[in-house]
Amino acid sequence: MVGRLAPRLTEELRSRGLAVEEIDRTPGAHRGDARSVLLRIGGPKVDAGIADWLGTIQWTGTSPYRPRHQRRNWFVSVAAFAEPSTETWNPQDLRIETLRASGPGGQHVNRTESAVRITHLPSGLSSLAQEERSQHLNRRLALARLAALFAERDQDQTQAAEDQRWRQHTQLERGNAVRVYRGIDWKRMR
């Protein structure tokens, strides 16, 4: 049913002046159908444009995939999720500090400020490099570590969004539909 509902949703949202892009589809067992479809929707007043679609959609009819099944009411859940942010950092947002390295290192340690700590001020992420004797190499290493921290955080946010999306599948509320369709031609009843 999701594969048949997605084109209707896309068409209606585009007629409202919103940009709709399919970014992921989990195919169903039958050709042309889908278990899940993820759309990116953009444009002016997105929240108002999708509000009447959010919730449970009911379709009443004989399933083309399970024609002998006694059930006549089928349900699809439509939910909105915020897209994970992919924050890029600006060099002006970095605080770079030099300090004396600690640990073994002979006469070089505690004589020069070769260690480097870089802090991204808006996010509070920080990295420290003190392995190299050169401040320039430690700075490069600290920047690489900071970039790795950002990548890890972005990956965690993406995974959390994916988990939230899949949890939505188990939260389908049968009944109390926001829209009801009937028949093979998907005639809207309310």
Side-chain angles (χ1 to χ4, degrees), residues 6-19:
R8 292 193 172 283
L9 171 65
T10 301
E11 180 182 328
E12 186 170 325
L13 294 180
R14 284 186 177 150
S15 72
R16 295 177 181 180
L18 298 173

PDB file of all heavy atoms in Angstrom, residues 6-19:
ATOM      1  N   ALA A   6       2.546   6.687  -1.862  1.00  0.00           N
ATOM      2  CA  ALA A   6       3.648   7.653  -2.030  1.00  0.00           C
ATOM      3  C   ALA A   6       3.464   8.566  -3.247  1.00  0.00           C
ATOM      4  O   ALA A   6       3.667   9.779  -3.130  1.00  0.00           O
ATOM      5  CB  ALA A   6       4.982   6.926  -2.087  1.00  0.00           C
ATOM      6  N   PRO A   7       3.075   8.044  -4.425  1.00  0.00           N
ATOM      7  CA  PRO A   7       2.867   8.957  -5.565  1.00  0.00           C
ATOM      8  C   PRO A   7       1.744   9.973  -5.327  1.00  0.00           C
ATOM      9  O   PRO A   7       1.837  11.119  -5.750  1.00  0.00           O
ATOM     10  CB  PRO A   7       2.513   8.025  -6.730  1.00  0.00           C
ATOM     11  CG  PRO A   7       3.054   6.700  -6.339  1.00  0.00           C
ATOM     12  CD  PRO A   7       2.978   6.646  -4.848  1.00  0.00           C
ATOM     13  N   ARG A   8       0.678   9.562  -4.634  1.00  0.00           N
ATOM     14  CA  ARG A   8      -0.420  10.494  -4.327  1.00  0.00           C
ATOM     15  C   ARG A   8       0.073  11.603  -3.410  1.00  0.00           C
ATOM     16  O   ARG A   8      -0.231  12.772  -3.608  1.00  0.00           O
ATOM     17  CB  ARG A   8      -1.567   9.756  -3.655  1.00  0.00           C
ATOM     18  CG  ARG A   8      -2.261   8.802  -4.570  1.00  0.00           C
ATOM     19  CD  ARG A   8      -3.560   8.344  -3.937  1.00  0.00           C
ATOM     20  NE  ARG A   8      -4.325   7.567  -4.883  1.00  0.00           N
ATOM     21  CZ  ARG A   8      -5.023   8.061  -5.889  1.00  0.00           C
ATOM     22  NH1 ARG A   8      -5.031   9.342  -6.089  1.00  0.00           N
ATOM     23  NH2 ARG A   8      -5.684   7.270  -6.708  1.00  0.00           N
ATOM     24  N   LEU A   9       0.833  11.215  -2.377  1.00  0.00           N
ATOM     25  CA  LEU A   9       1.385  12.184  -1.437  1.00  0.00           C
ATOM     26  C   LEU A   9       2.314  13.149  -2.168  1.00  0.00           C
ATOM     27  O   LEU A   9       2.207  14.369  -2.019  1.00  0.00           O
ATOM     28  CB  LEU A   9       2.142  11.457  -0.321  1.00  0.00           C
ATOM     29  CG  LEU A   9       2.962  12.300   0.642  1.00  0.00           C
ATOM     30  CD1 LEU A   9       2.075  13.209   1.462  1.00  0.00           C
ATOM     31  CD2 LEU A   9       3.777  11.407   1.551  1.00  0.00           C
ATOM     32  N   THR A  10       3.191  12.618  -2.991  1.00  0.00           N
ATOM     33  CA  THR A  10       4.139  13.442  -3.744  1.00  0.00           C
ATOM     34  C   THR A  10       3.418  14.422  -4.651  1.00  0.00           C
ATOM     35  O   THR A  10       3.734  15.615  -4.683  1.00  0.00           O
ATOM     36  CB  THR A  10       5.081  12.534  -4.572  1.00  0.00           C
ATOM     37  OG1 THR A  10       5.772  11.667  -3.678  1.00  0.00           O
ATOM     38  CG2 THR A  10       6.062  13.340  -5.371  1.00  0.00           C
ATOM     39  N   GLU A  11       2.440  13.928  -5.380  1.00  0.00           N
ATOM     40  CA  GLU A  11       1.682  14.781  -6.319  1.00  0.00           C
ATOM     41  C   GLU A  11       0.969  15.915  -5.584  1.00  0.00           C
ATOM     42  O   GLU A  11       1.017  17.071  -6.003  1.00  0.00           O
ATOM     43  CB  GLU A  11       0.674  13.916  -7.072  1.00  0.00           C
ATOM     44  CG  GLU A  11      -0.162  14.671  -8.079  1.00  0.00           C
ATOM     45  CD  GLU A  11      -1.172  13.757  -8.755  1.00  0.00           C
ATOM     46  OE1 GLU A  11      -0.876  12.550  -8.935  1.00  0.00           O
ATOM     47  OE2 GLU A  11      -2.263  14.257  -9.085  1.00  0.00           O
ATOM     48  N   GLU A  12       0.324  15.592  -4.466  1.00  0.00           N
ATOM     49  CA  GLU A  12      -0.414  16.621  -3.741  1.00  0.00           C
ATOM     50  C   GLU A  12       0.525  17.660  -3.128  1.00  0.00           C
ATOM     51  O   GLU A  12       0.244  18.855  -3.171  1.00  0.00           O
ATOM     52  CB  GLU A  12      -1.282  15.997  -2.648  1.00  0.00           C
ATOM     53  CG  GLU A  12      -2.169  17.030  -1.987  1.00  0.00           C
ATOM     54  CD  GLU A  12      -3.207  16.425  -1.072  1.00  0.00           C
ATOM     55  OE1 GLU A  12      -3.723  15.331  -1.376  1.00  0.00           O
ATOM     56  OE2 GLU A  12      -3.497  17.067  -0.048  1.00  0.00           O
ATOM     57  N   LEU A  13       1.644  17.217  -2.568  1.00  0.00           N
ATOM     58  CA  LEU A  13       2.585  18.168  -1.974  1.00  0.00           C
ATOM     59  C   LEU A  13       3.216  19.067  -3.039  1.00  0.00           C
ATOM     60  O   LEU A  13       3.431  20.248  -2.798  1.00  0.00           O
ATOM     61  CB  LEU A  13       3.659  17.432  -1.168  1.00  0.00           C
ATOM     62  CG  LEU A  13       3.160  16.700   0.086  1.00  0.00           C
ATOM     63  CD1 LEU A  13       4.311  16.021   0.790  1.00  0.00           C
ATOM     64  CD2 LEU A  13       2.419  17.639   1.023  1.00  0.00           C
ATOM     65  N   ARG A  14       3.498  18.516  -4.195  1.00  0.00           N
ATOM     66  CA  ARG A  14       4.039  19.343  -5.288  1.00  0.00           C
ATOM     67  C   ARG A  14       3.003  20.362  -5.759  1.00  0.00           C
ATOM     68  O   ARG A  14       3.358  21.485  -6.122  1.00  0.00           O
ATOM     69  CB  ARG A  14       4.504  18.459  -6.443  1.00  0.00           C
ATOM     70  CG  ARG A  14       5.814  17.788  -6.151  1.00  0.00           C
ATOM     71  CD  ARG A  14       6.359  17.017  -7.320  1.00  0.00           C
ATOM     72  NE  ARG A  14       7.662  16.451  -6.974  1.00  0.00           N
ATOM     73  CZ  ARG A  14       8.136  15.337  -7.466  1.00  0.00           C
ATOM     74  NH1 ARG A  14       7.442  14.648  -8.369  1.00  0.00           N
ATOM     75  NH2 ARG A  14       9.316  14.891  -7.081  1.00  0.00           N
ATOM     76  N   SER A  15       1.738  19.982  -5.767  1.00  0.00           N
ATOM     77  CA  SER A  15       0.697  20.931  -6.176  1.00  0.00           C
ATOM     78  C   SER A  15       0.563  22.070  -5.165  1.00  0.00           C
ATOM     79  O   SER A  15       0.050  23.134  -5.488  1.00  0.00           O
ATOM     80  CB  SER A  15      -0.646  20.222  -6.357  1.00  0.00           C
ATOM     81  OG  SER A  15      -1.189  19.843  -5.104  1.00  0.00           O
ATOM     82  N   ARG A  16       1.046  21.853  -3.955  1.00  0.00           N
ATOM     83  CA  ARG A  16       1.041  22.896  -2.922  1.00  0.00           C
ATOM     84  C   ARG A  16       2.295  23.753  -2.971  1.00  0.00           C
ATOM     85  O   ARG A  16       2.499  24.599  -2.113  1.00  0.00           O
ATOM     86  CB  ARG A  16       0.923  22.252  -1.534  1.00  0.00           C
ATOM     87  CG  ARG A  16      -0.384  21.548  -1.310  1.00  0.00           C
ATOM     88  CD  ARG A  16      -0.422  20.871   0.041  1.00  0.00           C
ATOM     89  NE  ARG A  16      -1.690  20.176   0.216  1.00  0.00           N
ATOM     90  CZ  ARG A  16      -2.012  19.499   1.294  1.00  0.00           C
ATOM     91  NH1 ARG A  16      -1.178  19.432   2.314  1.00  0.00           N
ATOM     92  NH2 ARG A  16      -3.177  18.892   1.378  1.00  0.00           N
ATOM     93  N   GLY A  17       3.146  23.511  -3.948  1.00  0.00           N
ATOM     94  CA  GLY A  17       4.347  24.323  -4.119  1.00  0.00           C
ATOM     95  C   GLY A  17       5.547  23.839  -3.331  1.00  0.00           C
ATOM     96  O   GLY A  17       6.529  24.569  -3.188  1.00  0.00           O
ATOM     97  N   LEU A  18       5.500  22.616  -2.830  1.00  0.00           N
ATOM     98  CA  LEU A  18       6.619  22.064  -2.072  1.00  0.00           C
ATOM     99  C   LEU A  18       7.490  21.198  -2.979  1.00  0.00           C
ATOM    100  O   LEU A  18       7.001  20.569  -3.913  1.00  0.00           O
ATOM    101  CB  LEU A  18       6.102  21.225  -0.895  1.00  0.00           C
ATOM    102  CG  LEU A  18       5.271  21.986   0.139  1.00  0.00           C
ATOM    103  CD1 LEU A  18       4.683  21.030   1.160  1.00  0.00           C
ATOM    104  CD2 LEU A  18       6.107  23.049   0.821  1.00  0.00           C
ATOM    105  N   ALA A  19       8.777  21.185  -2.686  1.00  0.00           N
ATOM    106  CA  ALA A  19       9.713  20.320  -3.419  1.00  0.00           C
ATOM    107  C   ALA A  19       9.742  18.974  -2.720  1.00  0.00           C
ATOM    108  O   ALA A  19       9.909  18.897  -1.500  1.00  0.00           O
ATOM    109  CB  ALA A  19      11.103  20.941  -3.426  1.00  0.00           C
TER     110      ALA A  19
END
